Amino acid sequence: MAGAANLGCRFTKRTNNFTFAVMDGKEGCYEILAVNEFNSTRKRMSLVCKCPDGRYVLYVKGADTVIYERLLSTDAYKQNTSEHLAVFADQGLRTLCLAFRVIPQ
């Protein structure tokens, strides 16, 4: 939660179907439409939500190897992030990656 707060995001409330968050000083309600729980076979979890602006977004978090193989090869941050992940691994730290995609209704 501290990492999110450092980026201007604060989660204020969570119910079964909704998450409320303040981002950049604006409170919004995010409707949770579907959750695919983490499991050791997929090595990731997925969540589909409807954002306050009406967009539908698929969020995925999981092991860096699993997430990276699903990213576009042209992603501008991919190489730099990969180097950081290697440094973290050398220090014995565990990491998770997060990716998202806006999807049609």
Side-chain angles (χ1 to χ4, degrees):
M1 294 280 220
N6 288 338
L7 296 172
C9 177
R10 185 173 49 88
F11 295 97
T12 57
K13 184 179 175 185
R14 169 71 199 249
T15 67
N16 286 339
N17 298 319
F18 296 93
T19 294
F20 298 85
V22 176
M23 288 200 243
D24 298 325
K26 299 176 202 165
E27 185 168 29
C29 176
Y30 297 79
E31 183 178 4
I32 309 301
L33 301 174
V35 177
N36 197 349
E37 295 291 342
F38 178 88
N39 67 45
S40 58
T41 304
R42 293 180 69 237
K43 297 181 183 173
R44 63 189 183 275
M45 99 172 265
S46 305
L47 168 76
V48 177
C49 74
K50 183 177 179 184
C51 298
D53 62 5
R55 294 181 304 147
Y56 290 83
V57 180
L58 168 68
Y59 291 96
V60 181
K61 75 172 180 178
D64 53 9
T65 55
V66 173
I67 301 299
Y68 259 56
E69 67 188 29
R70 287 164 175 77
L71 294 177
L72 295 173
S73 60
T74 58
D75 189 303
Y77 299 104
K78 193 172 182 179
Q79 180 61 37
N80 194 20
T81 302
S82 182
E83 292 168 5
H84 284 102
L85 288 170
V87 169
F88 297 147
D90 288 344
Q91 296 174 3
L93 300 173
R94 297 179 65 198
T95 59
L96 286 174
C97 288
L98 174 71
F100 74 93
R101 176 175 289 202
V102 177
I103 57 176
Q105 184 177 350

PDB file of all heavy atoms in Angstrom, residues 51-91:
ATOM      1  N   CYS A  51     -13.885   0.879 -14.699  1.00  0.00           N
ATOM      2  CA  CYS A  51     -13.319   2.072 -14.073  1.00  0.00           C
ATOM      3  C   CYS A  51     -14.357   3.190 -14.016  1.00  0.00           C
ATOM      4  O   CYS A  51     -15.366   3.143 -14.724  1.00  0.00           O
ATOM      5  CB  CYS A  51     -12.099   2.539 -14.860  1.00  0.00           C
ATOM      6  SG  CYS A  51     -10.780   1.313 -14.881  1.00  0.00           S
ATOM      7  N   PRO A  52     -14.119   4.200 -13.185  1.00  0.00           N
ATOM      8  CA  PRO A  52     -15.075   5.311 -13.074  1.00  0.00           C
ATOM      9  C   PRO A  52     -15.344   6.012 -14.404  1.00  0.00           C
ATOM     10  O   PRO A  52     -16.432   6.551 -14.600  1.00  0.00           O
ATOM     11  CB  PRO A  52     -14.400   6.272 -12.093  1.00  0.00           C
ATOM     12  CG  PRO A  52     -13.468   5.440 -11.313  1.00  0.00           C
ATOM     13  CD  PRO A  52     -13.015   4.352 -12.247  1.00  0.00           C
ATOM     14  N   ASP A  53     -14.392   5.984 -15.331  1.00  0.00           N
ATOM     15  CA  ASP A  53     -14.595   6.639 -16.629  1.00  0.00           C
ATOM     16  C   ASP A  53     -15.313   5.740 -17.641  1.00  0.00           C
ATOM     17  O   ASP A  53     -15.481   6.105 -18.794  1.00  0.00           O
ATOM     18  CB  ASP A  53     -13.262   7.123 -17.209  1.00  0.00           C
ATOM     19  CG  ASP A  53     -12.289   5.994 -17.489  1.00  0.00           C
ATOM     20  OD1 ASP A  53     -12.665   4.801 -17.336  1.00  0.00           O
ATOM     21  OD2 ASP A  53     -11.144   6.288 -17.859  1.00  0.00           O
ATOM     22  N   GLY A  54     -15.750   4.535 -17.207  1.00  0.00           N
ATOM     23  CA  GLY A  54     -16.508   3.638 -18.075  1.00  0.00           C
ATOM     24  C   GLY A  54     -15.655   2.619 -18.819  1.00  0.00           C
ATOM     25  O   GLY A  54     -16.203   1.714 -19.449  1.00  0.00           O
ATOM     26  N   ARG A  55     -14.339   2.754 -18.760  1.00  0.00           N
ATOM     27  CA  ARG A  55     -13.472   1.791 -19.448  1.00  0.00           C
ATOM     28  C   ARG A  55     -13.465   0.460 -18.701  1.00  0.00           C
ATOM     29  O   ARG A  55     -13.590   0.424 -17.490  1.00  0.00           O
ATOM     30  CB  ARG A  55     -12.024   2.291 -19.526  1.00  0.00           C
ATOM     31  CG  ARG A  55     -11.826   3.506 -20.362  1.00  0.00           C
ATOM     32  CD  ARG A  55     -10.358   3.917 -20.390  1.00  0.00           C
ATOM     33  NE  ARG A  55      -9.884   4.106 -19.008  1.00  0.00           N
ATOM     34  CZ  ARG A  55      -8.651   3.852 -18.586  1.00  0.00           C
ATOM     35  NH1 ARG A  55      -7.733   3.417 -19.419  1.00  0.00           N
ATOM     36  NH2 ARG A  55      -8.310   4.036 -17.327  1.00  0.00           N
ATOM     37  N   TYR A  56     -13.281  -0.609 -19.451  1.00  0.00           N
ATOM     38  CA  TYR A  56     -13.100  -1.933 -18.880  1.00  0.00           C
ATOM     39  C   TYR A  56     -11.617  -2.269 -18.988  1.00  0.00           C
ATOM     40  O   TYR A  56     -11.019  -2.122 -20.059  1.00  0.00           O
ATOM     41  CB  TYR A  56     -13.927  -2.968 -19.637  1.00  0.00           C
ATOM     42  CG  TYR A  56     -15.410  -2.788 -19.404  1.00  0.00           C
ATOM     43  CD1 TYR A  56     -16.137  -1.862 -20.145  1.00  0.00           C
ATOM     44  CD2 TYR A  56     -16.072  -3.529 -18.438  1.00  0.00           C
ATOM     45  CE1 TYR A  56     -17.491  -1.673 -19.927  1.00  0.00           C
ATOM     46  CE2 TYR A  56     -17.429  -3.354 -18.214  1.00  0.00           C
ATOM     47  CZ  TYR A  56     -18.131  -2.428 -18.958  1.00  0.00           C
ATOM     48  OH  TYR A  56     -19.467  -2.243 -18.732  1.00  0.00           O
ATOM     49  N   VAL A  57     -11.037  -2.703 -17.875  1.00  0.00           N
ATOM     50  CA  VAL A  57      -9.600  -2.944 -17.854  1.00  0.00           C
ATOM     51  C   VAL A  57      -9.324  -4.328 -17.268  1.00  0.00           C
ATOM     52  O   VAL A  57      -9.913  -4.711 -16.250  1.00  0.00           O
ATOM     53  CB  VAL A  57      -8.859  -1.878 -17.019  1.00  0.00           C
ATOM     54  CG1 VAL A  57      -7.363  -2.134 -17.002  1.00  0.00           C
ATOM     55  CG2 VAL A  57      -9.143  -0.484 -17.569  1.00  0.00           C
ATOM     56  N   LEU A  58      -8.431  -5.058 -17.933  1.00  0.00           N
ATOM     57  CA  LEU A  58      -7.933  -6.338 -17.439  1.00  0.00           C
ATOM     58  C   LEU A  58      -6.592  -6.079 -16.779  1.00  0.00           C
ATOM     59  O   LEU A  58      -5.683  -5.529 -17.412  1.00  0.00           O
ATOM     60  CB  LEU A  58      -7.757  -7.327 -18.591  1.00  0.00           C
ATOM     61  CG  LEU A  58      -6.979  -8.606 -18.265  1.00  0.00           C
ATOM     62  CD1 LEU A  58      -7.756  -9.480 -17.305  1.00  0.00           C
ATOM     63  CD2 LEU A  58      -6.647  -9.353 -19.537  1.00  0.00           C
ATOM     64  N   TYR A  59      -6.476  -6.424 -15.505  1.00  0.00           N
ATOM     65  CA  TYR A  59      -5.217  -6.302 -14.768  1.00  0.00           C
ATOM     66  C   TYR A  59      -4.701  -7.709 -14.506  1.00  0.00           C
ATOM     67  O   TYR A  59      -5.475  -8.604 -14.156  1.00  0.00           O
ATOM     68  CB  TYR A  59      -5.420  -5.600 -13.423  1.00  0.00           C
ATOM     69  CG  TYR A  59      -5.767  -4.146 -13.538  1.00  0.00           C
ATOM     70  CD1 TYR A  59      -7.089  -3.718 -13.501  1.00  0.00           C
ATOM     71  CD2 TYR A  59      -4.774  -3.188 -13.684  1.00  0.00           C
ATOM     72  CE1 TYR A  59      -7.416  -2.373 -13.600  1.00  0.00           C
ATOM     73  CE2 TYR A  59      -5.101  -1.835 -13.786  1.00  0.00           C
ATOM     74  CZ  TYR A  59      -6.409  -1.446 -13.742  1.00  0.00           C
ATOM     75  OH  TYR A  59      -6.737  -0.122 -13.847  1.00  0.00           O
ATOM     76  N   VAL A  60      -3.403  -7.894 -14.654  1.00  0.00           N
ATOM     77  CA  VAL A  60      -2.773  -9.185 -14.384  1.00  0.00           C
ATOM     78  C   VAL A  60      -1.526  -8.945 -13.547  1.00  0.00           C
ATOM     79  O   VAL A  60      -0.740  -8.049 -13.845  1.00  0.00           O
ATOM     80  CB  VAL A  60      -2.373  -9.905 -15.697  1.00  0.00           C
ATOM     81  CG1 VAL A  60      -1.752 -11.256 -15.397  1.00  0.00           C
ATOM     82  CG2 VAL A  60      -3.558 -10.065 -16.614  1.00  0.00           C
ATOM     83  N   LYS A  61      -1.359  -9.735 -12.479  1.00  0.00           N
ATOM     84  CA  LYS A  61      -0.115  -9.679 -11.708  1.00  0.00           C
ATOM     85  C   LYS A  61       0.397 -11.097 -11.561  1.00  0.00           C
ATOM     86  O   LYS A  61      -0.372 -12.052 -11.497  1.00  0.00           O
ATOM     87  CB  LYS A  61      -0.307  -9.022 -10.349  1.00  0.00           C
ATOM     88  CG  LYS A  61      -1.008  -9.883  -9.325  1.00  0.00           C
ATOM     89  CD  LYS A  61      -0.987  -9.232  -7.961  1.00  0.00           C
ATOM     90  CE  LYS A  61      -1.712 -10.132  -6.957  1.00  0.00           C
ATOM     91  NZ  LYS A  61      -1.689  -9.604  -5.625  1.00  0.00           N
ATOM     92  N   GLY A  62       1.728 -11.204 -11.568  1.00  0.00           N
ATOM     93  CA  GLY A  62       2.292 -12.534 -11.433  1.00  0.00           C
ATOM     94  C   GLY A  62       3.799 -12.530 -11.560  1.00  0.00           C
ATOM     95  O   GLY A  62       4.446 -11.475 -11.568  1.00  0.00           O
ATOM     96  N   ALA A  63       4.349 -13.719 -11.689  1.00  0.00           N
ATOM     97  CA  ALA A  63       5.789 -13.890 -11.824  1.00  0.00           C
ATOM     98  C   ALA A  63       6.292 -13.133 -13.046  1.00  0.00           C
ATOM     99  O   ALA A  63       5.633 -13.105 -14.093  1.00  0.00           O
ATOM    100  CB  ALA A  63       6.119 -15.368 -11.947  1.00  0.00           C
ATOM    101  N   ASP A  64       7.463 -12.522 -12.915  1.00  0.00           N
ATOM    102  CA  ASP A  64       7.989 -11.712 -14.021  1.00  0.00           C
ATOM    103  C   ASP A  64       8.121 -12.506 -15.315  1.00  0.00           C
ATOM    104  O   ASP A  64       7.816 -12.008 -16.390  1.00  0.00           O
ATOM    105  CB  ASP A  64       9.311 -11.039 -13.648  1.00  0.00           C
ATOM    106  CG  ASP A  64      10.368 -12.002 -13.126  1.00  0.00           C
ATOM    107  OD1 ASP A  64      10.177 -13.227 -13.189  1.00  0.00           O
ATOM    108  OD2 ASP A  64      11.396 -11.499 -12.647  1.00  0.00           O
ATOM    109  N   THR A  65       8.534 -13.763 -15.236  1.00  0.00           N
ATOM    110  CA  THR A  65       8.700 -14.569 -16.461  1.00  0.00           C
ATOM    111  C   THR A  65       7.368 -14.779 -17.172  1.00  0.00           C
ATOM    112  O   THR A  65       7.301 -14.726 -18.400  1.00  0.00           O
ATOM    113  CB  THR A  65       9.323 -15.934 -16.126  1.00  0.00           C
ATOM    114  OG1 THR A  65       8.523 -16.570 -15.120  1.00  0.00           O
ATOM    115  CG2 THR A  65      10.743 -15.787 -15.644  1.00  0.00           C
ATOM    116  N   VAL A  66       6.311 -14.995 -16.403  1.00  0.00           N
ATOM    117  CA  VAL A  66       4.988 -15.225 -16.983  1.00  0.00           C
ATOM    118  C   VAL A  66       4.433 -13.946 -17.599  1.00  0.00           C
ATOM    119  O   VAL A  66       3.868 -13.964 -18.690  1.00  0.00           O
ATOM    120  CB  VAL A  66       4.032 -15.783 -15.905  1.00  0.00           C
ATOM    121  CG1 VAL A  66       2.616 -15.876 -16.414  1.00  0.00           C
ATOM    122  CG2 VAL A  66       4.512 -17.142 -15.438  1.00  0.00           C
ATOM    123  N   ILE A  67       4.600 -12.824 -16.916  1.00  0.00           N
ATOM    124  CA  ILE A  67       4.083 -11.556 -17.424  1.00  0.00           C
ATOM    125  C   ILE A  67       4.884 -11.106 -18.635  1.00  0.00           C
ATOM    126  O   ILE A  67       4.324 -10.683 -19.659  1.00  0.00           O
ATOM    127  CB  ILE A  67       4.098 -10.471 -16.325  1.00  0.00           C
ATOM    128  CG1 ILE A  67       3.240 -10.901 -15.124  1.00  0.00           C
ATOM    129  CG2 ILE A  67       3.652  -9.128 -16.872  1.00  0.00           C
ATOM    130  CD1 ILE A  67       1.786 -11.140 -15.431  1.00  0.00           C
ATOM    131  N   TYR A  68       6.197 -11.222 -18.570  1.00  0.00           N
ATOM    132  CA  TYR A  68       7.055 -10.727 -19.648  1.00  0.00           C
ATOM    133  C   TYR A  68       6.810 -11.418 -20.968  1.00  0.00           C
ATOM    134  O   TYR A  68       6.883 -10.804 -22.028  1.00  0.00           O
ATOM    135  CB  TYR A  68       8.533 -10.824 -19.243  1.00  0.00           C
ATOM    136  CG  TYR A  68       9.077  -9.500 -18.795  1.00  0.00           C
ATOM    137  CD1 TYR A  68       8.473  -8.792 -17.769  1.00  0.00           C
ATOM    138  CD2 TYR A  68      10.156  -8.928 -19.420  1.00  0.00           C
ATOM    139  CE1 TYR A  68       8.943  -7.573 -17.366  1.00  0.00           C
ATOM    140  CE2 TYR A  68      10.638  -7.696 -19.031  1.00  0.00           C
ATOM    141  CZ  TYR A  68      10.030  -7.033 -17.993  1.00  0.00           C
ATOM    142  OH  TYR A  68      10.498  -5.817 -17.620  1.00  0.00           O
ATOM    143  N   GLU A  69       6.513 -12.704 -20.954  1.00  0.00           N
ATOM    144  CA  GLU A  69       6.282 -13.399 -22.214  1.00  0.00           C
ATOM    145  C   GLU A  69       4.976 -12.979 -22.882  1.00  0.00           C
ATOM    146  O   GLU A  69       4.749 -13.273 -24.042  1.00  0.00           O
ATOM    147  CB  GLU A  69       6.342 -14.912 -22.024  1.00  0.00           C
ATOM    148  CG  GLU A  69       5.234 -15.500 -21.197  1.00  0.00           C
ATOM    149  CD  GLU A  69       5.446 -16.980 -20.877  1.00  0.00           C
ATOM    150  OE1 GLU A  69       6.599 -17.411 -20.803  1.00  0.00           O
ATOM    151  OE2 GLU A  69       4.433 -17.675 -20.706  1.00  0.00           O
ATOM    152  N   ARG A  70       4.147 -12.229 -22.167  1.00  0.00           N
ATOM    153  CA  ARG A  70       2.883 -11.753 -22.723  1.00  0.00           C
ATOM    154  C   ARG A  70       2.902 -10.278 -23.112  1.00  0.00           C
ATOM    155  O   ARG A  70       1.940  -9.757 -23.629  1.00  0.00           O
ATOM    156  CB  ARG A  70       1.764 -12.013 -21.714  1.00  0.00           C
ATOM    157  CG  ARG A  70       1.430 -13.482 -21.637  1.00  0.00           C
ATOM    158  CD  ARG A  70       0.634 -13.859 -20.416  1.00  0.00           C
ATOM    159  NE  ARG A  70       0.260 -15.257 -20.473  1.00  0.00           N
ATOM    160  CZ  ARG A  70       1.088 -16.269 -20.218  1.00  0.00           C
ATOM    161  NH1 ARG A  70       2.334 -16.031 -19.866  1.00  0.00           N
ATOM    162  NH2 ARG A  70       0.689 -17.518 -20.309  1.00  0.00           N
ATOM    163  N   LEU A  71       4.027  -9.594 -22.887  1.00  0.00           N
ATOM    164  CA  LEU A  71       4.148  -8.180 -23.236  1.00  0.00           C
ATOM    165  C   LEU A  71       4.539  -8.008 -24.693  1.00  0.00           C
ATOM    166  O   LEU A  71       5.157  -8.888 -25.293  1.00  0.00           O
ATOM    167  CB  LEU A  71       5.213  -7.503 -22.361  1.00  0.00           C
ATOM    168  CG  LEU A  71       4.933  -7.398 -20.875  1.00  0.00           C
ATOM    169  CD1 LEU A  71       6.132  -6.765 -20.173  1.00  0.00           C
ATOM    170  CD2 LEU A  71       3.680  -6.602 -20.600  1.00  0.00           C
ATOM    171  N   LEU A  72       4.206  -6.852 -25.229  1.00  0.00           N
ATOM    172  CA  LEU A  72       4.664  -6.518 -26.575  1.00  0.00           C
ATOM    173  C   LEU A  72       6.185  -6.388 -26.574  1.00  0.00           C
ATOM    174  O   LEU A  72       6.763  -5.822 -25.642  1.00  0.00           O
ATOM    175  CB  LEU A  72       4.048  -5.192 -27.037  1.00  0.00           C
ATOM    176  CG  LEU A  72       2.535  -5.168 -27.212  1.00  0.00           C
ATOM    177  CD1 LEU A  72       2.074  -3.746 -27.497  1.00  0.00           C
ATOM    178  CD2 LEU A  72       2.129  -6.087 -28.339  1.00  0.00           C
ATOM    179  N   SER A  73       6.822  -6.875 -27.608  1.00  0.00           N
ATOM    180  CA  SER A  73       8.288  -6.802 -27.665  1.00  0.00           C
ATOM    181  C   SER A  73       8.765  -5.371 -27.874  1.00  0.00           C
ATOM    182  O   SER A  73       9.934  -5.069 -27.652  1.00  0.00           O
ATOM    183  CB  SER A  73       8.821  -7.703 -28.770  1.00  0.00           C
ATOM    184  OG  SER A  73       8.297  -7.299 -30.013  1.00  0.00           O
ATOM    185  N   THR A  74       7.875  -4.472 -28.277  1.00  0.00           N
ATOM    186  CA  THR A  74       8.244  -3.079 -28.529  1.00  0.00           C
ATOM    187  C   THR A  74       8.057  -2.182 -27.311  1.00  0.00           C
ATOM    188  O   THR A  74       8.274  -0.987 -27.406  1.00  0.00           O
ATOM    189  CB  THR A  74       7.407  -2.511 -29.692  1.00  0.00           C
ATOM    190  OG1 THR A  74       6.020  -2.625 -29.345  1.00  0.00           O
ATOM    191  CG2 THR A  74       7.674  -3.265 -30.976  1.00  0.00           C
ATOM    192  N   ASP A  75       7.670  -2.751 -26.180  1.00  0.00           N
ATOM    193  CA  ASP A  75       7.430  -1.947 -24.988  1.00  0.00           C
ATOM    194  C   ASP A  75       8.696  -1.199 -24.591  1.00  0.00           C
ATOM    195  O   ASP A  75       9.752  -1.791 -24.391  1.00  0.00           O
ATOM    196  CB  ASP A  75       6.966  -2.843 -23.840  1.00  0.00           C
ATOM    197  CG  ASP A  75       6.494  -2.036 -22.639  1.00  0.00           C
ATOM    198  OD1 ASP A  75       7.295  -1.227 -22.131  1.00  0.00           O
ATOM    199  OD2 ASP A  75       5.348  -2.209 -22.230  1.00  0.00           O
ATOM    200  N   ALA A  76       8.586   0.114 -24.455  1.00  0.00           N
ATOM    201  CA  ALA A  76       9.747   0.977 -24.207  1.00  0.00           C
ATOM    202  C   ALA A  76      10.389   0.710 -22.849  1.00  0.00           C
ATOM    203  O   ALA A  76      11.588   0.941 -22.675  1.00  0.00           O
ATOM    204  CB  ALA A  76       9.324   2.441 -24.302  1.00  0.00           C
ATOM    205  N   TYR A  77       9.639   0.219 -21.887  1.00  0.00           N
ATOM    206  CA  TYR A  77      10.158   0.009 -20.534  1.00  0.00           C
ATOM    207  C   TYR A  77      10.656  -1.414 -20.299  1.00  0.00           C
ATOM    208  O   TYR A  77      11.212  -1.712 -19.252  1.00  0.00           O
ATOM    209  CB  TYR A  77       9.084   0.342 -19.495  1.00  0.00           C
ATOM    210  CG  TYR A  77       8.632   1.777 -19.568  1.00  0.00           C
ATOM    211  CD1 TYR A  77       7.412   2.105 -20.141  1.00  0.00           C
ATOM    212  CD2 TYR A  77       9.424   2.798 -19.071  1.00  0.00           C
ATOM    213  CE1 TYR A  77       6.991   3.430 -20.209  1.00  0.00           C
ATOM    214  CE2 TYR A  77       9.021   4.118 -19.139  1.00  0.00           C
ATOM    215  CZ  TYR A  77       7.793   4.422 -19.707  1.00  0.00           C
ATOM    216  OH  TYR A  77       7.390   5.716 -19.778  1.00  0.00           O
ATOM    217  N   LYS A  78      10.426  -2.296 -21.252  1.00  0.00           N
ATOM    218  CA  LYS A  78      10.687  -3.719 -21.039  1.00  0.00           C
ATOM    219  C   LYS A  78      12.155  -3.997 -20.706  1.00  0.00           C
ATOM    220  O   LYS A  78      12.453  -4.699 -19.743  1.00  0.00           O
ATOM    221  CB  LYS A  78      10.249  -4.513 -22.262  1.00  0.00           C
ATOM    222  CG  LYS A  78      10.188  -5.983 -22.029  1.00  0.00           C
ATOM    223  CD  LYS A  78       9.554  -6.692 -23.213  1.00  0.00           C
ATOM    224  CE  LYS A  78       9.464  -8.173 -22.950  1.00  0.00           C
ATOM    225  NZ  LYS A  78       8.835  -8.884 -24.044  1.00  0.00           N
ATOM    226  N   GLN A  79      13.086  -3.468 -21.462  1.00  0.00           N
ATOM    227  CA  GLN A  79      14.508  -3.731 -21.238  1.00  0.00           C
ATOM    228  C   GLN A  79      14.980  -3.154 -19.906  1.00  0.00           C
ATOM    229  O   GLN A  79      15.649  -3.825 -19.129  1.00  0.00           O
ATOM    230  CB  GLN A  79      15.353  -3.169 -22.389  1.00  0.00           C
ATOM    231  CG  GLN A  79      16.849  -3.393 -22.229  1.00  0.00           C
ATOM    232  CD  GLN A  79      17.230  -4.869 -22.167  1.00  0.00           C
ATOM    233  OE1 GLN A  79      16.654  -5.697 -22.848  1.00  0.00           O
ATOM    234  NE2 GLN A  79      18.193  -5.184 -21.320  1.00  0.00           N
ATOM    235  N   ASN A  80      14.622  -1.915 -19.633  1.00  0.00           N
ATOM    236  CA  ASN A  80      15.031  -1.259 -18.397  1.00  0.00           C
ATOM    237  C   ASN A  80      14.479  -2.000 -17.175  1.00  0.00           C
ATOM    238  O   ASN A  80      15.190  -2.228 -16.189  1.00  0.00           O
ATOM    239  CB  ASN A  80      14.579   0.200 -18.406  1.00  0.00           C
ATOM    240  CG  ASN A  80      15.244   1.028 -17.331  1.00  0.00           C
ATOM    241  OD1 ASN A  80      16.279   0.662 -16.805  1.00  0.00           O
ATOM    242  ND2 ASN A  80      14.645   2.147 -17.005  1.00  0.00           N
ATOM    243  N   THR A  81      13.225  -2.391 -17.240  1.00  0.00           N
ATOM    244  CA  THR A  81      12.618  -3.118 -16.128  1.00  0.00           C
ATOM    245  C   THR A  81      13.271  -4.478 -15.960  1.00  0.00           C
ATOM    246  O   THR A  81      13.523  -4.925 -14.835  1.00  0.00           O
ATOM    247  CB  THR A  81      11.102  -3.272 -16.356  1.00  0.00           C
ATOM    248  OG1 THR A  81      10.527  -1.978 -16.491  1.00  0.00           O
ATOM    249  CG2 THR A  81      10.443  -3.992 -15.202  1.00  0.00           C
ATOM    250  N   SER A  82      13.598  -5.136 -17.050  1.00  0.00           N
ATOM    251  CA  SER A  82      14.271  -6.427 -16.988  1.00  0.00           C
ATOM    252  C   SER A  82      15.615  -6.324 -16.264  1.00  0.00           C
ATOM    253  O   SER A  82      15.974  -7.194 -15.462  1.00  0.00           O
ATOM    254  CB  SER A  82      14.472  -6.973 -18.403  1.00  0.00           C
ATOM    255  OG  SER A  82      15.081  -8.233 -18.357  1.00  0.00           O
ATOM    256  N   GLU A  83      16.326  -5.256 -16.522  1.00  0.00           N
ATOM    257  CA  GLU A  83      17.610  -5.037 -15.843  1.00  0.00           C
ATOM    258  C   GLU A  83      17.407  -4.836 -14.343  1.00  0.00           C
ATOM    259  O   GLU A  83      18.164  -5.369 -13.526  1.00  0.00           O
ATOM    260  CB  GLU A  83      18.331  -3.844 -16.464  1.00  0.00           C
ATOM    261  CG  GLU A  83      18.795  -4.105 -17.879  1.00  0.00           C
ATOM    262  CD  GLU A  83      19.251  -2.855 -18.624  1.00  0.00           C
ATOM    263  OE1 GLU A  83      19.300  -1.769 -17.995  1.00  0.00           O
ATOM    264  OE2 GLU A  83      19.525  -2.971 -19.825  1.00  0.00           O
ATOM    265  N   HIS A  84      16.383  -4.076 -13.970  1.00  0.00           N
ATOM    266  CA  HIS A  84      16.081  -3.886 -12.549  1.00  0.00           C
ATOM    267  C   HIS A  84      15.688  -5.211 -11.886  1.00  0.00           C
ATOM    268  O   HIS A  84      16.115  -5.507 -10.761  1.00  0.00           O
ATOM    269  CB  HIS A  84      14.959  -2.861 -12.361  1.00  0.00           C
ATOM    270  CG  HIS A  84      15.395  -1.459 -12.559  1.00  0.00           C
ATOM    271  ND1 HIS A  84      15.131  -0.758 -13.712  1.00  0.00           N
ATOM    272  CD2 HIS A  84      16.085  -0.614 -11.772  1.00  0.00           C
ATOM    273  CE1 HIS A  84      15.636   0.451 -13.621  1.00  0.00           C
ATOM    274  NE2 HIS A  84      16.232   0.565 -12.444  1.00  0.00           N
ATOM    275  N   LEU A  85      14.888  -6.010 -12.571  1.00  0.00           N
ATOM    276  CA  LEU A  85      14.481  -7.300 -12.011  1.00  0.00           C
ATOM    277  C   LEU A  85      15.686  -8.202 -11.788  1.00  0.00           C
ATOM    278  O   LEU A  85      15.742  -8.941 -10.795  1.00  0.00           O
ATOM    279  CB  LEU A  85      13.460  -7.979 -12.928  1.00  0.00           C
ATOM    280  CG  LEU A  85      12.070  -7.345 -12.951  1.00  0.00           C
ATOM    281  CD1 LEU A  85      11.234  -7.940 -14.076  1.00  0.00           C
ATOM    282  CD2 LEU A  85      11.375  -7.491 -11.620  1.00  0.00           C
ATOM    283  N   ALA A  86      16.660  -8.160 -12.699  1.00  0.00           N
ATOM    284  CA  ALA A  86      17.879  -8.964 -12.547  1.00  0.00           C
ATOM    285  C   ALA A  86      18.654  -8.535 -11.299  1.00  0.00           C
ATOM    286  O   ALA A  86      19.170  -9.377 -10.553  1.00  0.00           O
ATOM    287  CB  ALA A  86      18.744  -8.853 -13.789  1.00  0.00           C
ATOM    288  N   VAL A  87      18.720  -7.232 -11.058  1.00  0.00           N
ATOM    289  CA  VAL A  87      19.407  -6.727  -9.866  1.00  0.00           C
ATOM    290  C   VAL A  87      18.680  -7.213  -8.604  1.00  0.00           C
ATOM    291  O   VAL A  87      19.317  -7.678  -7.650  1.00  0.00           O
ATOM    292  CB  VAL A  87      19.487  -5.184  -9.884  1.00  0.00           C
ATOM    293  CG1 VAL A  87      19.960  -4.635  -8.547  1.00  0.00           C
ATOM    294  CG2 VAL A  87      20.393  -4.719 -11.011  1.00  0.00           C
ATOM    295  N   PHE A  88      17.355  -7.132  -8.603  1.00  0.00           N
ATOM    296  CA  PHE A  88      16.584  -7.587  -7.450  1.00  0.00           C
ATOM    297  C   PHE A  88      16.802  -9.083  -7.208  1.00  0.00           C
ATOM    298  O   PHE A  88      16.959  -9.525  -6.070  1.00  0.00           O
ATOM    299  CB  PHE A  88      15.095  -7.294  -7.623  1.00  0.00           C
ATOM    300  CG  PHE A  88      14.759  -5.830  -7.721  1.00  0.00           C
ATOM    301  CD1 PHE A  88      13.695  -5.411  -8.505  1.00  0.00           C
ATOM    302  CD2 PHE A  88      15.487  -4.876  -7.044  1.00  0.00           C
ATOM    303  CE1 PHE A  88      13.364  -4.067  -8.599  1.00  0.00           C
ATOM    304  CE2 PHE A  88      15.172  -3.531  -7.127  1.00  0.00           C
ATOM    305  CZ  PHE A  88      14.110  -3.128  -7.914  1.00  0.00           C
ATOM    306  N   ALA A  89      16.804  -9.867  -8.284  1.00  0.00           N
ATOM    307  CA  ALA A  89      17.016 -11.316  -8.164  1.00  0.00           C
ATOM    308  C   ALA A  89      18.398 -11.614  -7.601  1.00  0.00           C
ATOM    309  O   ALA A  89      18.555 -12.517  -6.766  1.00  0.00           O
ATOM    310  CB  ALA A  89      16.834 -11.984  -9.518  1.00  0.00           C
ATOM    311  N   ASP A  90      19.403 -10.869  -8.042  1.00  0.00           N
ATOM    312  CA  ASP A  90      20.763 -11.057  -7.521  1.00  0.00           C
ATOM    313  C   ASP A  90      20.833 -10.778  -6.021  1.00  0.00           C
ATOM    314  O   ASP A  90      21.678 -11.329  -5.316  1.00  0.00           O
ATOM    315  CB  ASP A  90      21.759 -10.154  -8.253  1.00  0.00           C
ATOM    316  CG  ASP A  90      22.035 -10.617  -9.676  1.00  0.00           C
ATOM    317  OD1 ASP A  90      21.704 -11.783  -9.994  1.00  0.00           O
ATOM    318  OD2 ASP A  90      22.573  -9.813 -10.458  1.00  0.00           O
ATOM    319  N   GLN A  91      19.943  -9.927  -5.534  1.00  0.00           N
ATOM    320  CA  GLN A  91      19.897  -9.598  -4.111  1.00  0.00           C
ATOM    321  C   GLN A  91      19.022 -10.577  -3.324  1.00  0.00           C
ATOM    322  O   GLN A  91      18.831 -10.428  -2.121  1.00  0.00           O
ATOM    323  CB  GLN A  91      19.378  -8.170  -3.910  1.00  0.00           C
ATOM    324  CG  GLN A  91      20.277  -7.112  -4.479  1.00  0.00           C
ATOM    325  CD  GLN A  91      19.657  -5.723  -4.390  1.00  0.00           C
ATOM    326  OE1 GLN A  91      18.575  -5.522  -3.847  1.00  0.00           O
ATOM    327  NE2 GLN A  91      20.346  -4.738  -4.951  1.00  0.00           N
TER     328      GLN A  91
END
